[in-house]
Amino acid sequence: MERARSTHKLPRWVPYFNLIARPILAAGVPLGPDVLITVRGRRTGLPRTTPLTLCQHAGRRGLISPFGETHWVRNLRAAGQATIRLGSRSEEMKAIELEPAEAAEFIRQVVAPQARRSRFGNWFVRNVDRIDIDDPVEAAKGRPVFELFTM
């Protein structure tokens, strides 16, 4: 699969948010749709855990990287599977990276409805993640999208 170059930059605040969110989510305290995802590192093979937003709607689940080619994206692409966890609940998932047309459809059918469920979610997706859910084709450019399936 040919990857579009990402023009989305990781904001400086994200690593600080992750330091705070990781222990909170590990304790089982919900932070909206955020969960912990653990993936084997592509070089070391060691487990790497990061907080991410789990997109869920109409029985479909997945992850979108609003900031493009991050380490978790490269690791998940290489591993093809991950553990999703909130507190003591965990689930092994198979991850399939979606082609651009499929990614746009996932944004239209899953990300947009989830974001629109709350004013804060809608605002966050549009202003912090800078994902235009009204234009899924454009939103998918440079943003890897993975659909998740229970193993």
Side-chain angles (χ1 to χ4, degrees):
M1 170 186 342
E2 186 176 317
R3 312 229 190 285
R5 282 199 157 191
S6 175
T7 58
H8 313 287
K9 187 176 178 188
L10 186 70
R12 290 193 319 216
W13 58 265
V14 170
Y16 300 106
F17 171 79
N18 289 350
L19 282 173
I20 295 165
R22 193 175 295 122
I24 291 171
L25 292 166
V29 178
L31 289 176
D34 289 358
V35 296
L36 292 173
I37 178 174
T38 302
V39 182
R40 293 246 170 246
R42 64 194 178 282
R43 295 183 187 151
T44 65
L46 297 174
R48 304 294 183 192
T49 301
T50 191
L52 293 175
T53 298
L54 181 63
C55 302
Q56 303 185 85
H57 183 74
R60 295 179 72 188
R61 297 190 285 179
L63 304 166
I64 182 171
S65 178
F67 311 121
E69 291 287 320
T70 60
H71 288 294
W72 75 260
V73 167
R74 293 183 200 110
N75 288 339
L76 186 56
R77 187 179 288 138
Q81 63 185 51
T83 302
I84 302 294
R85 183 168 56 103
L86 179 60
S88 62
R89 293 182 41 218
S90 67
E91 198 172 356
E92 296 294 319
M93 306 295 290
K94 179 179 178 180
I96 307 284
E97 187 169 10
L98 303 179
E99 297 288 338
E102 297 169 312
E105 199 58 31
F106 187 86
I107 292 168
R108 180 180 292 108
Q109 294 178 355
V110 180
V111 177
Q114 179 175 335
R116 289 183 178 122
R117 278 196 287 257
S118 76
R119 282 191 178 154
F120 178 74
N122 194 16
W123 177 87
F124 194 91
V125 166
R126 291 175 188 276
N127 296 291
V128 177
D129 292 342
R130 300 198 182 277
I131 297 172
D132 183 357
I133 56 177
D134 296 324
D135 187 355
V137 172
E138 190 62 33
K141 290 180 182 174
R143 289 188 175 96
V145 176
F146 295 86
E147 188 153 7
L148 301 175
F149 303 92
T150 304
M151 291 179 57

